[in-house]
């Protein structure tokens, strides 16, 4: 009798374990099935200039970013993401100082399982032996599937793009005073989360040398009902090459006190004074003190407006503003990593999540 009971318990336990395994398989395959939502891939293998993206590309990227964030919200999902591009290698070539963009790309690669190598200090490169920069980067491309480059020149990114084989993915992580397309993509995503259409957006600060504003205004130019305000002293106003490309309504002004009350998004920027001889007379004293947000003027803003900044900041946003619900620049910074994950995935055509 006891033997019989033990036998039945054993059978029961075996059944229980098998059921558990079965349920696990079914649930997991369901989860993975749900993950297999095809993302609409932009499939451009280069990210050089923000103007290369259509509105459809941008909305796809935002959608992909949302999906990636939701998958990454649990450890199972994170493990899965790490398998997606684990056979790829990336080279980060940063010839200009960077903390956020560098780390954000490094972490984005890491999330996708991409192994990275880096050159940040040119004194360790064979360029010091007289090798041309183009040759140096051609060499790196032999070891990497993706080159992520930040460079002080406005044009070198185009030279690289023209000279590397088509299957080498290239991302412009900032080219001189001209372009910073991935910053623009993450800024766009951040605005998208608050609603894109019919927004009044003010760019404030050094718009003459600020590459983030140049790149982002070209993206916002594709959105219905946008009105852009370029707010700065006239010496720091945005250049005509960007204005000439705008189809949306825009206004140039130096009256921040008026604009702060009217707009839905305020995009602050710092003085880009590391660029010398770029058309600004450094000896001229230009008063920039009124182009800042602080406890004296923040209450003039609309209640549902948001404040963005590509960072690093100086005194154009006071620290006390950080506590205000409209301050979204830290969130913007975090969004950067996820948008870059989405971008890299789509550049490799990794369309299944
Ligand atoms: N981090 C941004 C850039 O690299 C903004 C800045 O540096 O002011 O352009």
């Amino acid at each position: 009798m006891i033997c019989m009971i033990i036998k039945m318990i054993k059978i029961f336990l075996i059944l229980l374990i098998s059921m558990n395994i079965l349920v696990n398989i079914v649930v997991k395959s369901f989860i993975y099935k749900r993950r297999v939502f095809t993302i609409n891939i932009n499939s451009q293998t280069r990210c050089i200039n923000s103007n290369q993206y259509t509105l459809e590309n941008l909305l796809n990227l935002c959608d992909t970013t949302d999906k990636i964030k939701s998958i990454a919200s649990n450890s199972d999902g994170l493990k899965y993401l790490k398998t997606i591009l684990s056979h790829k290698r990336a080279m980060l070539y940063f010839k200009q100082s960077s903390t956020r963009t560098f780390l954000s790309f490094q972490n984005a690669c890491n999330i996708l399982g991409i192994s990275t190598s880096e050159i940040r200090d040119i004194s360790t490169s064979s360029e010091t032996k007289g090798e041309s920069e183009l040759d140096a980067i051609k060499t790196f491309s032999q070891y990497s599937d993706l080159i992520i480059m930040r460079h002080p020149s406005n044009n070198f990114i185009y030279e690289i793009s023209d000279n590397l084989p088509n299957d080498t993915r290239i991302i412009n992580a900032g080219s001189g005073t001209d372009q910073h397309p991935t910053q623009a993509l993450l800024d766009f995503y951040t605005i998208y989360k608050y609603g894109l259409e019919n927004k009044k957006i003010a760019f404030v600060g050094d718009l003459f040398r600020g590459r983030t504003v140049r790149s982002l205004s070209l993206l916002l130019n594709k959105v219905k009902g946008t009105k852009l305000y370029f707010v700065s002293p006239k010496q720091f106003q945005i250049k005509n090459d960007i204005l000439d490309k705008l189809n949306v309504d825009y206004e140039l002004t130096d009256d921040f006190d008026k604009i702060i009350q009217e707009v839905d998004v305020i995009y602050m920027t710092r003085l880009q004074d590391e660029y010398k001889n770029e058309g600004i007379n450094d000896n001229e004293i230009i008063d920039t003190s009124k182009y800042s947000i602080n406890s004296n003027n923040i209450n003039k803003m609309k209640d549902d407006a948001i404040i963005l900044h590509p960072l690093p900041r100086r005194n154009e946003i006071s620290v006390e503003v950080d506590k205000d619900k409209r301050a979204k620049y830290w969130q913007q910074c975090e969004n950067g990593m996820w948008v870059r994950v989405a971008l890299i995935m789509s550049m490799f055509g990794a369309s299944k999540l």
Side-chain angles (χ1 to χ4, degrees), residues 48-49 154-163 175 178-179:
I48 307 291
N49 184 312
N154 289 8
N155 299 317
F156 188 57
I157 188 75
Y158 296 101
E159 196 180 331
I160 288 298
S161 186
D162 288 347
N163 281 284
S175 51
D178 184 34
Q179 279 283 312

Side-chain angles (χ1 to χ4, degrees), residues 5 63 88 113-114 147 155 167 197 248 278 286 328 348:
I5 292 176
D63 188 46
K88 299 291 181 195
I114 300 176
I147 306 273
N155 299 317
D167 60 347
E197 289 186 0
V248 292
E278 292 259 353
I286 303 166
K328 300 295 178 198
F348 279 106

